[in-house]
Amino acid sequence: MPQVPPTFFDALAVRTWCGLALRALGRAREEIDAINVYPVADGDTGTNLYLTVESAATAVEAVFAGYEAGAEPAGAPSLADAARAMAHGALIGARGNSGTILAQLLRGMAQVLAAEGETPHTDARGLRLALRHAADSARQAVAHPVEGTVLSVASAAADAADAAGGAGGAEGDCGTVARAAYRGACTALAATPRQLAVLERAGVVDAGGRGLVAVLAALVETFTGERPADSAAPVPGTENPPAHARVELGTADLCAAEETPGETGGPAFEVIYLLEAEDAAVARLRERLDALGDSLVVVGGDGLWNVHVHVDDAGAAVEAGVEAGRPYRIRITHFGVDDVHARGGERPPRERAQRAVVAVVPGEGLAGLYAEAGATPVLARPGEPPASGELVEAVRRAHAREVVLLPNDADLRHTAAAAAEQARTEGIRVALIPTRSAVQGIAALAVHQPDRRFDEDVVSMTSAAGATRYAEVTVAERQSWTMAGICQAGDVLGLVDGDVAVIGADVTATAETVLNRMLSAGGELVTLVLGDDAPEGIAEHLEARVREAYLAVDTVVYRGGRQGALLLIGVE
């Protein structure tokens, strides 16, 4: 027997809406990716919106699972429970500019839906208020709102929903309000090319707005049981986007990365992270990030925020987050030179890149270094290794026919292999180089040549990584048995090629001992990557030691940021 559509907006309606929205975005994802030309033509808006809603839907399902499993009191979750879960899931899973704005739209709705405490449902008036607050709060979250974007579509949807209430503001049901909001959004979406020149030149509508129309179509289906008749077909402006709007864009190669950002018409990096911080600190963060770049969106509240910005200095954007609170799940994406040109409409984007490198890195500093070299970095915080799905997403984001994957951690070998296998099923040629440390990845990236045959490039990179011994200096957290004996909590450990080789009391002395052992077998280049907690002067001390005792050996030093280890060492 078919399920009767809900009359009111309750927890089950939230659950149904999230599931239908996820399916709607799944159907429209490729179409939305293809028309993505603003703010950066990186061809991933549909994917980002899908992943954002997927996170929201997963959070709502977890709330229902708690009740169904008996972990919560008997009954069903309240509207407030489901709405808060939806908003929180979207916040922590938000991807890209449009995904971050969608997360704020859902958060704005949740603030209204949960305002009356544990009420089981709300009516048409509550839905109208939720849509209005969603549009207003999303606009406030964007540093410099631009008309002709998803913000315009959201405002038009809220206006249409308000009008559906009539003079008294109480007529109609939730289905009537949802239909009005959807129709208003469709009308506004069709008008976006007249509001934003880059859309008009490309002959497409706004991709983020197109995604919101799909989400609102799912809201109509939630309350009526019927998908809007015109939602199955492309919205005007998306049926036949011009070739330059359909291509997927690639990460810039090493040569492209050398061009100065100022010459390409926009910032070179997209930086996204979750941030635990107080409201006052976030207000200061907004001002600092606004001065650093553009496309700034900061959403969230109650101590948890999602930060999105486009900048030339990725490290400065992360540093600003560190000063404001605790940033984590940091993602830094390097825009190809053609991506940035396309932002201003100066010339159409190039086709999908032939080859790209995706690398897991342990700290913000190395993420910036890898990105500047043309790689797509995936940041792995201590205790928070990336899942295979995150690596698959990074491979897709690289927008290349061929991808070299550098896990840079022995423990990620199986995760990376699973990601590579999944990407291959999607038609991407992936080579996994089993790098066990970020310093091996640096060595591999140094010999990467995207213009030679794929197999030759992979062999060269694999050889360079394999010829690099790696070590790290860290502090023991607990007593344990090691290859070098029993260590106590607080001891300094020197690990060479993954095994504890030295147990000491002083960081600099232990590092010197490790370095001497590694160079006793020979070497031409020493790479030092300093963590934030490394002692002052340790790099200078080790560089001096190399100059004195190993005359033919060069040394390079990088700042790794909060990478877990105090020091990473590579010897080639």
Side-chain angles (χ1 to χ4, degrees):
M1 181 175 179
Q3 184 175 345
V4 178
T7 304
F8 296 103
F9 204 172
D10 57 10
L12 184 58
V14 172
R15 183 189 201 182
T16 302
W17 180 32
C18 286
L20 291 173
L22 187 62
R23 288 195 283 276
L25 287 170
R27 292 190 298 269
R29 182 181 63 80
E30 292 184 1
E31 170 201 322
I32 297 171
D33 283 345
I35 63 171
N36 172 202
V37 298
Y38 183 85
V40 174
D42 48 359
D44 61 0
T45 291
T47 299
N48 287 338
L49 290 170
Y50 179 88
L51 292 170
T52 301
V53 172
E54 182 180 47
S55 183
T58 299
V60 173
E61 288 300 322
V63 169
F64 273 85
Y67 281 87
E68 292 165 359
E72 300 291 343
S78 67
L79 173 61
D81 291 333
R84 290 193 191 105
M86 173 185 69
H88 181 74
L91 178 67
I92 64 173
R95 306 298 175 94
N97 188 73
S98 294
T100 306
I101 294 174
L102 178 60
Q104 185 64 14
L105 286 167
L106 296 180
R107 176 179 170 80
M109 291 190 69
Q111 287 175 325
V112 173
L113 298 176
E116 299 180 9
E118 299 304 307
T119 180
H121 61 254
T122 191
D123 56 13
R125 177 178 178 277
L127 178 56
R128 285 196 298 274
L129 292 175
L131 290 169
R132 168 53 59 197
H133 187 63
D136 293 345
S137 61
R139 190 170 287 269
Q140 292 166 5
V142 178
H144 301 285
V146 175
E147 298 306 325
T149 65
V150 63
L151 296 177
S152 301
V153 176
S155 294
D159 291 343
D162 286 340
E171 293 84 351
D173 55 18
C174 287
T176 301
V177 172
R179 283 189 185 279
Y182 169 74
R183 290 168 182 157
C186 287
T187 300
L189 179 64
T192 56
R194 298 193 295 274
Q195 296 174 289
L196 202 53
V198 65
L199 300 178
E200 186 174 30
R201 284 193 293 269
V204 297
V205 296
D206 179 66
R210 172 66 183 93
L212 180 57
V213 164
V215 171
L216 291 173
L219 187 65
V220 174
E221 188 175 358
T222 298
F223 291 113
T224 67
E226 299 177 358
R227 191 188 311 172
D230 51 353
S231 72
V235 172
T238 68
E239 305 97 322
N240 296 296
H244 70 269
R246 289 199 301 269
V247 297
E248 294 185 74
L249 306 173
T251 301
D253 57 24
L254 294 173
C255 296
E258 294 174 0
E259 293 194 30
T260 58
E263 295 172 348
T264 60
F269 300 100
E270 178 185 58
V271 179
I272 306 173
Y273 50 81
L274 292 178
L275 176 70
E276 293 178 355
E278 299 298 324
D279 290 4
V282 171
R284 293 190 296 271
L285 174 67
R286 289 179 191 269
E287 294 179 1
R288 181 167 178 188
L289 292 179
D290 193 26
L292 285 174
D294 61 25
S295 296
L296 174 61
V297 186
V298 181
V299 305
D302 302 321
L304 181 62
W305 308 81
N306 190 305
V307 179
H308 171 281
V309 67
H310 296 170
V311 294
D312 285 328
D313 190 342
V318 175
E319 182 75 20
V322 172
E323 292 180 4
R326 187 180 84 88
Y328 61 105
R329 291 195 187 177
I330 302 168
R331 295 189 294 275
I332 300 174
T333 303
H334 182 270
F335 294 129
V337 171
D338 289 322
D339 302 356
V340 189
H341 270 292
R343 172 206 304 267
E346 298 173 22
R347 60 186 171 98
R350 66 180 179 182
E351 294 187 0
R352 179 195 287 259
Q354 180 63 30
R355 190 172 309 154
V357 176
V358 172
V360 180
V361 291
E364 300 89 350
L366 283 179
L369 173 69
Y370 272 73
E372 288 169 8
T376 298
V378 179
L379 190 64
R381 300 298 308 155
E384 299 178 13
S388 61
E390 189 171 354
L391 296 184
V392 172
E393 181 199 343
V395 170
R396 293 171 182 149
R397 196 167 68 240
H399 294 300
R401 298 180 180 88
E402 302 166 341
V403 172
V404 179
L405 182 57
L406 306 175
N408 291 342
D409 186 336
D411 292 337
L412 285 177
R413 180 166 59 90
H414 295 298
T415 300
E421 187 61 31
Q422 173 60 38
R424 291 183 189 116
T425 66
E426 299 177 12
I428 304 172
R429 189 180 184 188
V430 181
L432 172 61
I433 298 179
T435 49
R436 295 175 288 175
S437 170
V439 292
Q440 289 189 323
I442 291 173
L445 196 56
V447 300
H448 169 53
Q449 294 184 18
D451 56 348
R452 64 183 165 194
R453 289 181 58 249
F454 186 60
D455 291 340
E456 293 176 357
D457 197 28
V458 171
V459 169
S460 179
M461 294 176 73
T462 303
S463 297
T468 302
R469 299 192 71 194
Y470 65 96
E472 68 176 77
V473 177
T474 188
V475 176
E477 297 181 354
R478 63 184 68 85
Q479 183 188 63
S480 62
W481 291 86
T482 76
M483 296 288 289
I486 300 175
C487 71
Q488 305 296 326
D491 283 348
V492 180
L493 305 180
L495 291 82
V496 178
D497 294 337
D499 292 323
V500 176
V502 181
I503 300 174
D506 178 78
V507 174
T508 301
T510 301
E512 182 176 338
T513 301
V514 169
L515 186 55
N516 285 334
R517 289 195 182 189
M518 296 177 75
L519 287 172
S520 65
E524 299 176 355
L525 176 66
V526 171
T527 300
L528 304 176
V529 183
L530 304 178
D532 280 348
D533 297 326
E536 285 291 330
I538 187 173
E540 292 79 2
H541 178 86
L542 295 177
E543 283 184 288
R545 172 60 184 163
V546 171
R547 282 195 303 270
E548 293 168 2
Y550 308 96
L551 299 180
V553 179
D554 294 323
T555 305
V556 293
V557 180
Y558 301 111
R559 294 279 175 180
R562 295 187 298 168
Q563 62 187 22
L566 299 173
L567 176 69
L568 301 178
I569 304 174
V571 173
E572 298 178 46

